[in-house]
Amino acid sequence: MATNKSFRGRGMEDQKSEKERGHTKHQEKLDLSEKLRQLSSQKRRKECLDLYASPINDAIRDGFHGSIVVDCCARCGDIIEAENTVIDMMHANKHNKQTQQRDGHFFWTDEPLSYYKKVPIQAWTALLKGYAHKGEMGKADSLFGYLCSTTPAKSSLGKKRKQNNDPNVRTLNTVLRGCMWTATSRDDGRSNGVTKLIGGIMTASRAWEMAAKRKIALDTSSYEYYVTILAQSLRIETAERMIGQMKIEFEPNVLSESLAVCWVAIARAHLFLGRVGDAARCAQNAQMYFGRKLPTEESTRKHEEGRKKHATTGGKQSKNGTSRREHSNHLFRSHRQSELRMEASCIENICSSKCATLDTEFVARSMVTRLLYFCGGGTTSLDAMNADDGSEECNDFSYSFDSVWNSFGLKETLQRLIENRNETPSELRFIFPTGEKKKNNRKMHDLGLPSILDDTTCAKLQHHFAGGCLFDRTGCVDFDRIFSTGDRDKKCHGGAPLYLELGSGSGDWACLQAQLNPSGQYVTVELRADRVFQTFAKGMLRDMPLTNLCCVGSECGSFLRQRIRTGTVDAIFVNHPEPPTQTHGVNEADQSDEPAHMLNNKMVISSAKCLKPDGRGRLIIVTDNLLYAQHICRSVSKLLSQVDLVGVAPREVHDLKRIESFGHGSLNLYEGNPSISVDHYVVKGGPSNGTSYFDRLWRTGAGKHADMKRRYIIALRTKGGKSREAGGSNGTPKKRKKRSEEKQRRRNERRLKRKLES
């Protein structure tokens, strides 16, 4: 009997110890997840990968840890490591993890379904995020189609049940965001010889249809993204139909912010097609939602619980004790609403003016000559940072119209132009011959405009609207031809100063500069396609459209290397660049494993080659982040021996204050308001709330490391030549005061007296 009791006691102790070991293992998993999340949020990619692959964590590593690592790689622009992590998760417990892939296939297409199930949907979504950030919409399109083609999990009763590994609203929204950031282009040859359009409106439409068949529960962000993409491509009828579906599915108090975004986007599209009345109506509809109180995350979540669907905040999970995050979100959303209100008011003013209706042919010509798109994405990738400067070649010298044709509304614009046969030029009718057919006893035009244009049609369109090819034999953009086409006042001509803004955002600053300096040629370069279109709209939708502004969608480094002739740019501007992380680069030791960001060393070298020599070219960087400004100065000072650049001396910028020097005084960091001394044209007594979206955003206090008032300026110029004289705040050259020796002596005495008293 005692023996049985001892056995029972020993068994209970074994169960207790096993339970304790299970609890300890669970806690170790939680601790590992927290460490990986912290490293991911700080974009410390190498440390995150090392911690995940450490043999110490072999017993506790699981798919959720892998999802965090994939997300970290996506955030840092390292898509190769993200793919390798997913492949390792698919081939877990398999010795030979490298499988031979067939030509024209991605790594997931040849794997059995059992391998797909080993990877959590969070990891697949994070991989989609990486593709969207890098602009690889061919892979994103294929992967989302693969995830939607898998058979949904079912219960024993045969009914579909909720399964965490099925694609969800976060997966869909990730693809839609990528379609906003990347306009339509042709695939990369993985369609078995059949030409396929990917990205932009094409991938978004396919993803929307697949989500409907899959019965994925949508949220307000899903509709907001899709309507914005439709409006950007000028497919207005479909966009307004989507708004009707939004109102049916969601309560009005939840829709206020999203509906305002959608109505402003549609109003902008109506103006492009010359529908002034409809544009005014949509702008007024947007104004209806600005006075309403913004819904909190808690109210939105309660509403969704009542509908038994996913949260309507676009896949953002709320955490306890995140008052700081909620405060930051509220500041951002309030600022976003004020920006939308300002744009809606601007559209209403345009509609009420005498010059509201745009000439359709002028809009089409501007789209062909002032809207260039080469590539897109959400942020700079490591590939762009590590590109071998000068090694890239431009083999395709013909301009591809796929993006402007489908994603930016050139097809809809030409369709409207051709429909009005009285205004259609004969050359355009020859390019797109139209037949006639009878319907309801009325003659209708059968346009038949294709979705894909061949090279011959592209060449004809360039000749019709621009008088010739927009590129030279080396693939560089011919800006003299671009800016001489359709210039009503003929203010821009060959030899005019050429200014580039890199990372231009939504284009507020560049539009203001083009307006204040009509004799200059301004080119904006932005990676995100939606911001490229916003800049183009701001330049066009005004009383007098800006004919000295060209909007380019491209990665900045590749654009400088491939599309700009050497020594032709007067000034390159970078305003409020996004740092790799807010804490990176504070110390010299942080220079190793630098995260991806736009102002890397390769970019500075490429910029120096594009600037005019002999002191005529300038590189001007303005930021509100002192830590990032110091990091840039340290990096650039080490490059000055390799490039034809020198720091601008204090005598050239009298209105700026030097606060720090780098590289033994070869480069200075200045503080002050940008003015004509650094080629920034300013309005005397202009707005005090900032001249760009991000400038106004940081003035609200949304940036932790940004300064709401101070601006830090890094100014460089090419070597040689004479230094410029600093200009006054109103744009006029600053005159040197001539004083007599007696006046100068008394002035020096007063300055010395004030210095001694202080």
Side-chain angles (χ1 to χ4, degrees), residues 502-532:
L502 306 180
S504 56
S506 55
D508 297 271
W509 182 86
C511 289
L512 177 62
Q513 299 301 300
Q515 178 184 349
L516 297 177
N517 182 24
S519 61
Q521 301 172 351
Y522 285 87
V523 180
T524 63
V525 186
E526 170 61 38
L527 187 61
R528 282 180 48 169
D530 56 338
R531 292 177 179 172
V532 174

Side-chain angles (χ1 to χ4, degrees), residues 600-619:
N600 53 76
N601 292 346
K602 298 293 183 183
M603 232 314 244
V604 176
I605 295 174
S606 301
S607 299
K609 293 181 179 179
C610 296
L611 293 174
K612 289 183 177 180
D614 301 327
R616 294 177 294 160
R618 280 188 167 190
L619 173 60

Side-chain angles (χ1 to χ4, degrees), residues 506-571:
S506 55
D508 297 271
W509 182 86
C511 289
L512 177 62
Q513 299 301 300
Q515 178 184 349
L516 297 177
N517 182 24
S519 61
Q521 301 172 351
Y522 285 87
V523 180
T524 63
V525 186
E526 170 61 38
L527 187 61
R528 282 180 48 169
D530 56 338
R531 292 177 179 172
V532 174
F533 185 76
Q534 288 175 19
T535 304
F536 180 72
K538 290 176 181 177
M540 291 289 296
L541 304 180
R542 52 176 63 213
D543 293 338
M544 288 296 296
L546 298 173
T547 57
N548 60 335
L549 178 69
C550 178
C551 307
V552 175
S554 175
E555 194 277 320
C556 295
S558 63
F559 178 74
L560 294 176
R561 287 186 288 270
Q562 298 181 8
R563 304 297 181 181
I564 299 295
R565 297 170 185 165
T566 302
T568 58
V569 181
D570 289 81

Side-chain angles (χ1 to χ4, degrees), residues 93-339:
N93 301 324
K94 184 177 179 181
H95 297 290
N96 184 15
K97 297 182 180 181
Q98 300 297 327
T99 57
Q100 185 67 30
Q101 296 292 320
R102 295 181 292 163
D103 293 337
H105 285 249
F106 299 110
F107 72 84
W108 54 81
T109 54
D110 294 329
E111 301 295 349
L113 182 61
S114 59
Y115 285 8
Y116 151 75
K117 291 183 177 180
K118 292 181 180 180
V119 182
I121 192 61
Q122 292 87 344
W124 289 118
T125 304
L127 184 59
L128 279 171
K129 176 182 175 181
Y131 291 145
H133 276 298
K134 194 178 178 182
E136 294 188 358
M137 292 309 297
K139 292 183 177 181
D141 188 296
S142 174
L143 178 55
F144 186 76
Y146 172 76
L147 296 176
C148 289
S149 65
T150 56
T151 305
K154 295 184 177 181
S155 64
S156 58
L157 299 177
K159 298 181 180 180
K160 182 180 175 182
R161 63 179 177 85
K162 183 178 179 181
Q163 174 61 271
N164 291 332
N165 217 45
D166 291 341
N168 51 40
V169 66
R170 298 182 188 177
T171 314
L172 172 65
N173 288 352
T174 302
V175 176
L176 293 178
R177 279 194 298 270
C179 294
M180 289 178 59
W181 300 337
T182 307
T184 300
S185 60
R186 302 186 189 186
D187 66 354
D188 52 1
R190 293 180 180 267
S191 300
N192 299 324
V194 179
T195 303
K196 179 183 178 182
L197 293 175
I198 56 174
I201 185 61
M202 297 303 180
T203 295
S205 300
R206 286 193 292 267
W208 194 265
E209 293 176 1
M210 286 187 285
K213 293 179 180 178
R214 189 84 183 193
K215 296 183 179 180
I216 295 177
L218 306 177
D219 62 9
T220 57
S221 296
S222 306
Y223 281 99
E224 180 184 321
Y225 298 150
Y226 190 46
V227 170
T228 302
I229 295 170
L230 289 169
Q232 180 177 292
S233 60
L234 304 187
R235 304 189 182 188
I236 304 175
E237 290 75 14
T238 307
E240 294 207 31
R241 190 165 61 249
M242 288 293 106
I243 288 185
Q245 294 184 14
M246 290 175 66
K247 292 180 178 179
I248 294 174
E249 190 168 356
F250 298 95
E251 293 181 2
N253 63 330
V254 179
L255 281 175
S256 59
E257 186 177 359
S258 295
L259 279 178
V261 175
C262 295
W263 281 124
V264 169
I266 295 175
R268 189 191 303 130
H270 277 303
L271 274 184
F272 271 111
L273 295 180
R275 302 170 182 174
V276 180
D278 291 328
R281 170 181 58 85
C282 294
Q284 291 173 0
N285 289 340
Q287 295 281 13
M288 294 170 53
Y289 296 96
F290 289 139
R292 301 185 181 182
K293 186 178 179 181
L294 290 174
T296 62
E297 291 186 3
E298 183 179 358
S299 63
T300 312
R301 188 167 59 252
K302 288 182 178 179
H303 169 72
E304 283 302 300
E305 290 175 356
R307 295 172 61 247
K308 296 182 180 180
K309 292 187 178 180
H310 298 286
T312 61
T313 54
K316 298 282 187 180
Q317 287 187 347
S318 179
K319 297 180 180 180
N320 296 328
T322 57
S323 58
R324 179 178 174 182
R325 174 177 171 238
E326 291 180 359
H327 176 68
S328 178
N329 283 341
H330 182 75
L331 284 177
F332 174 79
R333 295 168 70 184
S334 299
H335 173 71
R336 185 190 189 199
Q337 195 176 82
S338 65
E339 294 287 312

Side-chain angles (χ1 to χ4, degrees), residues 415-427:
Q415 181 170 330
R416 179 177 175 82
L417 183 61
I418 296 176
E419 283 176 350
N420 192 345
R421 302 196 65 171
N422 297 328
E423 300 179 1
T424 306
S426 58
E427 293 184 15

